[in-house]
Amino acid sequence: MSIPQEGGGPIERYEQLAEYLASGEKPRDDWRIGTEHEKFGYCANKQLPLPYEGPCSIQAMLEGLRDGFGWAPVLEQGNIIGLERDGANVSLEPGGQLELSGGPLETIHQTCDEVNEHLREVQEVADKIGARFIGLGAAPIWSQDQMPMMPKGRYRLMTDYMDDVGTLGKQMMYRTCTVQVNLDFSSEADMVKKMRVALALQPVATALFANSPFLDGKPNGMKSWRSHIWQNLDDARTGMLPFMFEESAGYDAYVEYVLDVPMYFVYRNGKYINALGQSFRDFLKGELPALPGEKPTLSDWADHLTTVFPEARTKKYIEMRGADGGPWRRLCALPAFWVGLLYDQSALDAAWDLVKDWDHETREGLRKVAAVDALQGEFGGVNLHDLARETVAIAKSGLAARARPGAGGMISDETHFLNALEESVETGRVPADELLEKYHGEWNGDLSRIYEEYSY
C-alpha cells in the first residue's frame, strides 16, 4: 500500500490535476520497470498469520531487515511500518502481508534480481524468528477474525468504511496478495493506448496467474477468489473504466473519474484525518468538512489517486493490477508479460488489434469468467485459453524486439521470463489448477499441507 505524501505545493488551478499525471511522461529511453509483490507471513509452529508485535512478528521481520540488510525504517506514530533502500520500499498491507515495491529498473533481468535478493533477505530473517512466507492470491485457511491489523491509520479508516460500500472489502484488505508491475508512458496518447490494452487484457493476466482457489479451509468455487473480491468491493473505485475507451479518453477524463470517487482521508502532520465519503471537488473549493477552509496540495491529490483501484491505474505511471500473488518462480513472469506487450510499439499495436473491437460487456464478461474458470473461461465468443496463447506470443515478440541482454551478455533477451506462462498456455493449467488437483488428490482434503509444500 502506498506511503502517504506530504508537501507538493498548493493546488491553485484545476489544470494542475491533469498536469500532475502528464508530468510522468518519459521518452522511451527512460522507461523503467517497477515490480511489486505481496506475500503472507506466518509463524511456522502454529501456521497462523504473523502478529504485529512479538518474537515471531511483522515488527521482528522489519527490524531484522533493517538491522541485517541496510534498510532505513519508515515510522508512523512511533511504529515501524515500512522500510526504504535505494529507491525500493518494503511496506505492509492491512493484515500484515509483506510487500516489496521495487525500484525503477531498466530490464526484467534487473527487476528479477531485485525480487530474488529481497526474498533471500526475507527468508534469512524469517528463519531466525521462526516465520515462513507463502505466495498465494488469498489466505487459504485463516478466518477474517484471525487476521491482525497493522498499526496504520489509513487501514483503520478503510476497515470501517468497507462494510458500507461492498460485501468483500475487508477480505481484500486482510486476506489477499497480488503481484503488479508499474510501467511508463511517453505521451497522453501513449498512456491512453496502454491503458486500453492493459484494461482489456487484464483478464488474461488474471487467468494466467489465478492462484486463490481456497478460502476458510476449502475450495471457494473460483480459481481467482481475489479477482472475485475486486468485483464485489466498491463500484465507485474499481472496475474496467469504460470511459477510457471513449474518444474523450485522456488525462482530463481520468481526472474527472478520480474526482468522482469519494475520499478516504487527508494526511497531515503524520496523522490520517477521516474524510470518508467526502468529495475532493469540495476540497478544491476549500469546503471539505474534514478540513474547513483548507485547500489541497499536490500531495493530497497524489494520495487520493492511490485510493482508486481499477484493474489498471494511472498515476505518473500505469499499474497492472489484475494478477494474484504467486510462488517465487512466477513473480518475474508478470513484468515480462506486460513489458513485452507495452514497451515495444509493434507488440502494443498487435495487442490493441486483438481487443479494439470489443465492447464493455465483453471486457467485463471476460473479467468475470477469468476469476471463475481461468484459462477455461469464455465469454462473447472469446476463449481465454486461445486469447492467452496469442497474447503471450505477442509479449514474447515484444521482449525479443527489445533485445535486452542479461547475465553479462550470456542471455540475449528477456523472453525466458515467460517460460512459466508458455507452460500454462501449452497445458491450459494455471497455479490454481495445480492446487485444486493436489487438494482433491494427494492431500486428500488436508489443506494444511499447502504450507509445507509452497512456503519458503
Side-chain angles (χ1 to χ4, degrees), residues 89-298:
N89 297 284
V90 174
S91 59
L92 302 176
E93 291 297 298
Q97 306 96 310
L98 195 69
E99 176 179 0
L100 172 70
S101 298
L105 301 171
E106 293 186 37
T107 71
I108 301 166
H109 305 288
Q110 293 170 343
T111 198
C112 198
D113 286 347
E114 177 190 56
V115 167
N116 290 334
E117 178 185 22
H118 168 72
L119 292 176
R120 284 192 293 268
E121 292 177 0
V122 166
Q123 193 169 34
E124 184 171 325
V125 176
D127 287 345
K128 290 178 181 177
I129 68 170
R132 299 190 76 186
F133 282 82
I134 189 167
L136 296 165
I141 297 175
W142 306 324
S143 69
Q144 193 72 30
D145 290 342
Q146 287 178 305
M147 304 307 297
M149 180 190 290
M150 295 300 102
K152 296 181 69 171
R154 171 177 178 145
Y155 296 156
R156 295 188 190 95
L157 293 175
M158 289 175 64
T159 299
D160 293 340
Y161 188 62
M162 282 299 175
D163 285 340
D164 295 335
V165 292
T167 59
L168 299 177
K170 288 194 287 192
Q171 282 191 28
M172 176 278 293
M173 292 177 64
Y174 292 90
R175 292 199 280 171
T176 65
C177 285
T178 186
V179 54
Q180 300 179 184
V181 65
N182 306 322
L183 300 176
D184 289 315
F185 49 85
S186 62
S187 65
E188 184 172 30
D190 188 44
M191 181 278 286
V192 169
K193 190 164 189 176
K194 285 174 175 170
M195 277 290 286
R196 287 172 171 171
V197 169
L199 288 162
L201 290 178
Q202 210 64 222
V204 176
T206 297
L208 286 167
F209 289 85
N211 193 33
S212 48
F214 306 117
L215 193 77
D216 295 326
K218 59 184 182 295
N220 55 43
M222 304 277 171
K223 291 185 180 177
S224 176
W225 183 257
R226 176 189 165 277
S227 178
H228 175 70
I229 285 174
W230 281 108
Q231 296 166 36
N232 294 272
L233 194 150
D234 182 348
D235 289 342
R237 68 185 79 236
T238 61
M240 298 289 275
L241 305 189
F243 71 88
M244 285 302 299
F245 296 85
E246 298 172 359
E247 285 189 17
S248 59
Y251 297 138
D252 288 337
Y254 197 85
V255 165
E256 288 298 309
Y257 156 68
V258 177
L259 287 176
D260 284 338
V261 174
M263 293 178 65
Y264 278 155
F265 62 84
V266 181
Y267 191 72
R268 289 289 185 274
N269 302 316
K271 294 183 178 180
Y272 289 88
I273 297 170
N274 186 338
L276 290 171
Q278 296 177 29
S279 168
F280 205 93
R281 295 182 192 276
D282 290 342
F283 201 3
L284 290 169
K285 295 183 287 187
E287 299 174 359
L288 190 72
L291 285 174
E294 189 168 332
K295 291 190 176 182
T297 66
L298 280 172

Side-chain angles (χ1 to χ4, degrees), residues 1-5 34-39 62 65 70-75 81-93 97-105 114-115 118-119 121-122 152 182 315 317 319:
M1 193 66 76
S2 302
I3 293 173
Q5 307 294 306
T35 303
E36 304 181 15
H37 79 272
E38 304 159 1
K39 54 271 181 200
L62 294 177
L65 290 168
W71 290 86
V74 176
L75 304 178
I81 50 91
L83 303 164
E84 298 176 325
R85 186 184 71 189
D86 299 332
N89 297 284
V90 174
S91 59
L92 302 176
E93 291 297 298
Q97 306 96 310
L98 195 69
E99 176 179 0
L100 172 70
S101 298
L105 301 171
E114 177 190 56
V115 167
H118 168 72
L119 292 176
E121 292 177 0
V122 166
K152 296 181 69 171
N182 306 322
K315 296 192 286 190
Y317 46 82
E319 299 177 351

Side-chain angles (χ1 to χ4, degrees), residues 181 183 190-207 227 230-231 235 237-246 249-250 253-254 257 308-315 317-323 337-338 341-342 348 351-352 354-370 382 384 387 391:
V181 65
L183 300 176
D190 188 44
M191 181 278 286
V192 169
K193 190 164 189 176
K194 285 174 175 170
M195 277 290 286
R196 287 172 171 171
V197 169
L199 288 162
L201 290 178
Q202 210 64 222
V204 176
T206 297
S227 178
W230 281 108
Q231 296 166 36
D235 289 342
R237 68 185 79 236
T238 61
M240 298 289 275
L241 305 189
F243 71 88
M244 285 302 299
F245 296 85
E246 298 172 359
Y254 197 85
Y257 156 68
V308 300
F309 307 116
E311 292 295 282
R313 176 168 71 180
T314 296
K315 296 192 286 190
Y317 46 82
I318 300 173
E319 299 177 351
M320 311 300 151
R321 299 176 46 81
F337 178 74
W338 287 113
L341 290 173
L342 302 187
L348 179 60
W352 175 237
L354 279 181
V355 304
K356 63 184 180 183
D357 294 328
W358 294 354
D359 56 17
H360 175 65
E361 182 183 12
T362 300
R363 294 188 293 268
E364 189 63 43
L366 289 171
R367 180 190 182 207
K368 291 178 178 177
V369 298
V382 180
L384 276 170
L387 181 62
T391 305

